């Protein structure tokens, strides 16, 4: 069964990719979507089996792969509780994204290629989560990187899409370099790449040291930090996060698949899978916690200023990934996976809901040109409201009832409070503040999009474009936009066709929205505290901190209610600013221009990288090109030899006069020179 789940998407990708236009759009969609729904149908019984205790962990061998010296790498599929969770997340979201894409990509001429890329990505992600050794995991790791590059740059005729794809690929290469060094070091220390063998031997290496860059450092701390660098790249943690917002240049279904539920969670999965290693390195766990809380705070602050509906959700994803890493960093790996599970449903729902809005608004993505859409696209409206209720953590503590995020996100905040880590207290207050900002920008999106005046109707502004040719709206005021973050500028709104009316999406797009909305409501009940807190449930697939779980149950009531209180505060601020007093945003920008510019420009991280890395790299490249390649190698190499040949040809050309006596004279001179040389010898 597990072999079918993993390899069906690969088979579908091969058929759709190689068949392409030969088999046509419909056949490509049927093959890929059908394969994913079959994989999804096979994954849920495995998950439910582990949930009820009917299933036990096992390894399904596929074939021998690499044998070289001491390294023996067998291709095998590992199935345990951790794998089962990822199987249902990956296959469910991917299957619904495939179905959704039937409607969203209906006008695109390259549908077979798109669906082949989706299925290829799913196969690579499934290979990653079922890996039984680090080399196999790295294969899946690089596979999702390749597939994400292809999907982000799917509309390759757009320069911005190409740039975003290259940026994602390059930034992830930085993280993957650290990950590969971690794998090399792990093999050097343990003599194997088998994950079960490494985890079993990890406690024995605690306290040992190893030479690195001329220093003696703690072995497990070094290995865990190198592995975590890889997680930072894939899961867009602060410092290696810059690719994630730009990746929104890809089609919206790509955003839902890659940036909501699958690829960006690979880093969280990897840390949880190798949690026994991290448990032996407290410093490394502190680093994980630090970058998690920094990412949660950073992304939440930036999300409050974005106007592109997809970028708001992208920064929300980045922030929620920070929550997961905080949970992993304090030792609550089960809770990290709990939030990964619930997050997959409500974040995929929000991305696909945003796609439905964009589809209704004829590919306009700027929220300043929305407004009053709740009556025009009611199903999209209600599903996005459910997604917002889930991500903001709406629920009633005393009834233990609420939407998905209420159960999982609140559990992370409680784990941070209960943690004995030095960063636990800071993490608690940081995550609570991030929860306030999350509530604000999430409800801000709802109010700007579905309430207020129909700004699209008043101006007749609708962007007419084919898929992928959306108008790029600069984020800075210097580009001609109004400084008011609530109202669109008049110049931009003069384009378009008056009288256009937004329309609800078709069934192929609405069915996934409704199913994901059900998940956003009930996903939190799948993992009750009995399961998250149970060592027997995880069955050795992750490290288990029984003391931390006990402390979480002892968290005071005010700490448990903190996230609910700030959620209500964020909702109230968004309501007042975007429903009751719509002049507040403009006044705030006028009052805090420096702060607003700082957040609008994403803390100037891209500009900083551009100054430190990009420009010097281009300068070095130009120097080596003009002075090294052209000025030295070409000048004295090919160009130099060509000059010598040219000059020699000019001289010999003059000798060729065409007169017989000239040739005889040359021959005579040659003979005389040869005779003279012979006599001197």
């Amino acid at each position: 069964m597990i072999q079918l789940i993993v390899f069906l998407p690969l088979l579908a990708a091969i058929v759709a990719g190689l068949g392409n236009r030969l088999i046509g759009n419909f056949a490509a969609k049927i093959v890929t979507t059908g394969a994913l729904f079959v994989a999804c149908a096979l994954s849920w019984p495995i998950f439910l089996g582990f949930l009820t205790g009917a299933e036990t962990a096992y390894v399904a061998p596929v074939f021998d792969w690499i044998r070289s010296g001491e390294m023996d790498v067998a291709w095998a599929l590992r199935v345990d509780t951790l794998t089962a969770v990822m199987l249902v997340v990956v296959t469910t979201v991917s299957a619904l994204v495939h179905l959704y894409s039937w409607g969203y990509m209906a006008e695109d001429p390259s549908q077979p290629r798109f669906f082949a890329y989706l299925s290829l990505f799913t196969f690579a992600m499934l290979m990653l989560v079922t890996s039984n050794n680090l080399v196999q995991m790295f294969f899946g790791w690089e596979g999702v990187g390749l597939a994400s590059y292809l999907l982000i740059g799917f509309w390759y005729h757009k320069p911005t899409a190409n740039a975003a794809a290259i940026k994602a690929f390059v930034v992830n290469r930085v993280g993957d370099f650290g990950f590969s060094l971690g794998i090399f070091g792990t093999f050097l220390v343990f003599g194997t790449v088998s994950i079960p063998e490494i985890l079993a031997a990890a406690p024995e290496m605690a306290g040992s040291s190893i030479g690195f860059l001329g220093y003696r450092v703690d072995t497990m701390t070094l290995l865990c930090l190198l592995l975590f660098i890889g997680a930072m790249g894939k899961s867009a943690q602060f410092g290696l996060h810059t690719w994630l917002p730009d990746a929104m240049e890809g089609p919206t279904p790509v955003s839902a698949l890659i940036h909501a539920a699958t690829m960006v969670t690979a880093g969280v999965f990897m840390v949880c899978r190798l949690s026994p290693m991290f448990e032996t390195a407290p410093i490394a766990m502190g680093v994980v916690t630090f970058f998690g809380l920094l990412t949660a705070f950073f992304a939440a602050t930036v999300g409050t200023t974005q106007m592109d509906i997809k970028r708001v959700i992208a920064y929300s994803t980045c922030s929620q990934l920070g929550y997961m890493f905080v949970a992993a960093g304090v030792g609550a790996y089960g809770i990290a996976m709990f939030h990964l599970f619930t997050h997959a449903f409500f974040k995929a729902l929000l991305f696909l809901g945003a796609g439905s809005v964009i589809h209704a608004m004829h590919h306009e993505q700027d929220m300043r040109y929305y407004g009053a859409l709740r009556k025009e696209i009611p199903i999209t409206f209600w599903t996005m409201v459910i997604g917002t209720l889930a991500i903001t953590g709406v629920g009633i503590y005393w009834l233990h009832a609420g939407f998905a995020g209420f159960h999982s996100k609140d559990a992370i905040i409680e784990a941070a409070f209960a943690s004995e880590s030095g960063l636990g207290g800071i993490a608690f207050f940081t995550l609570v503040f991030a929860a306030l900002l999350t509530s604000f920008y999430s409800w801000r999106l709802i109010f700007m999009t579905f309430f207020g005046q129909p700004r699209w109707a008043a101006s007749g502004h609708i962007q007419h474009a084919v898929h992928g040719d959306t108008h790029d709206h600069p984020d800075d005021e210097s580009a001609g936009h109004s400084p008011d973050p609530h109202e669109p500028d008049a110049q931009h709104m003069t384009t378009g066709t008056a009288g256009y009316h937004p329309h609800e999406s078709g069934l192929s797009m609405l069915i996934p929205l409704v199913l994901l909305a059900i998940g956003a409501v009930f996903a939190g009940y799948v993992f009750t505290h009995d399961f998250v807190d149970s060592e027997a449930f995880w069955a050795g697939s992750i490290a288990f901190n029984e003391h931390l779980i006990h402390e979480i149950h002892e968290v005071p009531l005010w700490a448990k209610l903190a996230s609910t209180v700030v959620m209500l505060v964020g909702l109230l601020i968004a309501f007042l600013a975007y429903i009751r007093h719509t002049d507040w945003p403009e006044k705030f920008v006028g009052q805090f221009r420096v702060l607003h510019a700082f957040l609008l420009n994403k803390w100037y991280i891209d500009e900083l990288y551009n100054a430190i890395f990009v420009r010097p790299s281009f300068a070095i490249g130009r120097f080596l090109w003009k002075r090294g390649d052209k000025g030295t190698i070409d000048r004295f190499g090919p160009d130099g030899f060509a000059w010598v040949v040219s000059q020699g040809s000019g001289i010999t050309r003059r000798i060729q006069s065409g007169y017989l006596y000239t040739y005889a004279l040359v021959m005579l001179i040659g003979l005389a020179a040869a005779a003279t040389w012979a006599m001197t010898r």
Side-chain angles (χ1 to χ4, degrees):
M1 182 181 293
I2 185 63
Q3 291 89 341
L4 276 176
I5 294 172
V6 173
F7 290 105
L8 268 178
L10 175 62
L11 180 62
I14 293 173
V15 172
L18 297 183
N20 207 295
R21 299 187 182 183
L22 182 65
I23 64 174
N25 293 342
F26 183 75
K29 291 188 289 188
I30 281 289
V31 169
T32 54
T33 307
L36 260 299
F37 271 96
V38 170
C40 177
L42 295 175
S43 297
W44 275 96
I46 294 177
F47 173 69
L48 295 175
F50 279 99
L51 201 63
T52 58
E55 287 274 4
T56 56
Y58 63 93
V59 175
V62 180
F63 56 81
D64 290 336
W65 190 13
I66 301 172
R67 286 183 179 176
S68 177
E70 296 180 358
M71 185 169 69
D72 186 359
V73 181
W75 200 296
L77 306 177
R78 179 179 181 83
V79 181
D80 56 15
T81 306
L82 191 61
T83 305
V85 173
M86 295 303 296
L87 285 179
V88 296
V89 166
V90 173
T91 58
T92 301
V93 174
S94 183
L96 294 177
V97 166
H98 274 73
L99 178 59
Y100 179 92
S101 300
W102 281 53
Y104 193 85
M105 302 296 290
E107 301 173 8
D108 196 280
S110 301
Q111 293 178 54
R113 179 167 61 91
F114 178 77
F115 282 86
Y117 288 169
L118 286 183
S119 294
L120 177 64
F121 172 86
T122 307
F123 160 72
M125 191 66 195
L126 290 172
M127 187 57 65
L128 190 158
V129 301
T130 58
S131 56
N132 195 46
N133 61 73
L134 293 177
V135 177
Q136 187 178 332
M137 181 181 287
F138 192 72
F139 172 84
W141 196 272
E142 293 303 299
V144 294
L146 168 64
S148 68
Y149 169 79
L150 296 173
L151 286 166
I152 294 168
F154 177 76
W155 287 318
Y156 54 83
H157 58 276
K158 291 177 60 183
T160 52
N162 287 327
I166 293 172
K167 186 175 184 179
F169 199 79
V170 171
V171 172
N172 273 276
R173 294 293 69 72
V174 176
D176 294 353
F177 179 67
F179 188 35
S180 61
L181 288 180
I183 295 175
F184 298 155
T186 301
F187 177 73
L188 178 66
V189 171
F190 294 97
T192 180
V193 292
S194 171
I195 293 176
E197 294 179 18
I198 293 170
L199 300 185
E204 299 176 5
M205 298 303 300
S208 63
S209 63
I210 190 174
F212 183 70
L213 300 178
Y215 296 93
R216 299 297 296 182
V217 297
D218 183 77
T219 302
M220 297 308 297
T221 299
L222 173 65
L223 296 181
C224 290
L225 288 178
L226 290 174
L227 294 170
F228 178 62
I229 291 173
M232 289 179 64
K234 276 289 181 286
S235 295
Q237 293 303 280
F238 185 82
L240 296 179
H241 68 279
T242 54
W243 67 271
L244 183 64
D246 289 4
M248 296 302 105
E249 289 292 338
T252 299
V254 173
S255 303
L257 181 62
I258 294 180
H259 311 118
T262 52
M263 190 181 91
V264 292
T265 62
V268 180
F269 167 81
M270 186 264 285
V271 171
C272 291
R273 169 64 79 198
L274 303 179
S275 54
M277 289 182 65
F278 281 84
E279 284 292 307
T280 64
I283 294 177
M285 292 187 66
V287 172
V288 173
T289 304
F290 172 76
F291 275 98
L293 65 90
L294 180 59
T295 304
F297 175 75
F298 157 77
T301 59
V302 175
T304 60
T305 62
Q306 300 303 301
M307 291 299 169
D308 186 309
I309 188 171
K310 287 173 65 177
R311 284 182 180 261
V312 174
I313 304 173
Y315 279 106
S316 171
T317 299
C318 195
S319 182
Q320 296 305 307
L321 290 167
Y323 275 84
M324 298 175 205
F325 276 109
V326 169
V330 300
Y333 305 103
I335 295 176
M337 291 303 301
F338 182 22
H339 194 51
L340 185 156
F341 180 84
T342 59
H343 174 265
F345 290 95
F346 60 71
K347 188 53 60 69
L349 171 61
L350 289 171
F351 265 120
L352 295 185
S356 184
V357 173
I358 295 168
H359 185 265
M361 295 299 293
H362 215 75
H363 312 297
E364 177 60 65
Q365 295 181 197
D366 196 318
M367 296 187 297
R368 285 171 290 191
Y369 311 117
Y370 292 170
L373 289 175
R374 68 185 185 280
K375 294 181 180 179
E376 314 298 332
I377 46 175
I379 299 177
T380 300
F381 164 66
W382 284 111
T383 54
M384 287 201 72
V385 166
I386 291 172
T388 302
L389 292 170
I391 192 174
T392 56
V394 174
I396 302 174
Y397 170 75
W398 291 276
L399 298 179
H400 298 288
F403 292 83
F406 168 76
H407 299 277
S408 59
K409 190 168 73 172
D410 286 17
I412 293 177
I413 295 174
E414 293 170 17
F417 184 90
S419 170
E420 296 179 354
S421 165
L423 291 172
I426 299 174
F428 170 77
F429 289 105
T430 302
L431 295 184
V432 169
F433 182 67
L436 186 151
L437 297 180
T438 300
S439 178
F440 169 74
Y441 66 66
S442 298
W443 288 111
R444 168 180 175 264
L445 183 153
I446 293 295
F447 294 146
M448 289 187 69
T449 303
F450 297 105
F451 292 85
Q453 297 299 317
R455 295 179 292 279
W456 46 271
S459 63
H461 171 82
I462 285 292
Q463 180 69 30
H464 280 273
V466 297
H467 272 292
D469 290 332
T470 54
H471 193 283
D472 291 320
H473 304 297
D475 286 329
D476 56 355
E477 296 168 18
S478 62
H481 274 185
S482 167
D484 181 2
H486 182 66
E487 293 297 334
D489 61 282
Q491 181 180 359
H492 182 79
M493 293 179 65
T494 57
T495 62
T497 303
Y500 180 85
H501 202 74
H503 59 282
E504 187 64 275
S505 302
L507 280 179
S508 65
M509 295 173 66
L510 293 180
I511 291 174
L513 287 179
V514 173
L515 293 177
L516 288 170
I518 295 172
V521 175
F522 296 106
Y525 297 101
V526 175
F527 285 82
T528 64
H529 277 293
D530 293 336
F531 289 122
V532 175
D533 302 349
S534 170
E535 186 173 9
F537 170 68
W538 293 106
S541 60
I542 60 174
F544 187 78
N545 190 331
E546 187 174 352
H547 176 70
L548 176 62
I549 297 301
H550 173 75
E551 292 298 319
I552 290 175
H553 289 297
E554 302 300 322
V555 169
L557 182 60
W558 69 267
K560 292 178 180 290
L561 295 178
S563 59
T564 300
V565 172
V566 297
M567 177 273 296
L568 294 173
V569 172
L571 168 60
L572 178 62
I573 295 173
F575 175 78
L576 293 175
Y578 292 95
I579 298 296
R580 295 295 299 273
H581 306 287
T582 55
D583 59 329
W584 280 13
E586 183 179 5
K587 290 180 179 179
F588 179 86
V589 173
Q591 188 81 20
F592 301 98
R593 287 190 176 275
V594 175
L595 175 62
H596 180 261
F598 179 71
L599 299 181
L600 187 64
N601 289 281
K602 301 151 290 193
W603 291 23
Y604 294 102
I605 301 297
D606 284 285
E607 289 78 4
L608 183 64
Y609 285 176
N610 190 53
I612 296 176
F613 300 113
V614 179
R615 289 182 181 176
S617 297
F618 274 105
I620 294 172
R622 281 193 298 268
F623 173 80
L624 294 176
W625 167 44
K626 293 185 177 180
R627 299 294 180 88
D629 193 10
K630 295 182 65 176
T632 303
I633 298 174
D634 287 351
R635 181 180 179 185
F636 296 105
D639 292 347
F641 286 118
W643 180 84
V644 171
V645 170
S646 175
Q647 295 300 313
S649 300
I651 295 173
T652 56
R653 188 167 56 247
R654 295 175 183 175
I655 298 175
Q656 305 299 323
S657 63
Y659 294 105
L660 185 61
Y661 61 80
T662 302
Y663 301 143
L665 177 61
V666 172
M667 292 172 63
L668 182 61
I669 293 173
L671 288 172
T676 303
W677 178 80
M679 288 186 291
T680 57
R681 295 283 291 178

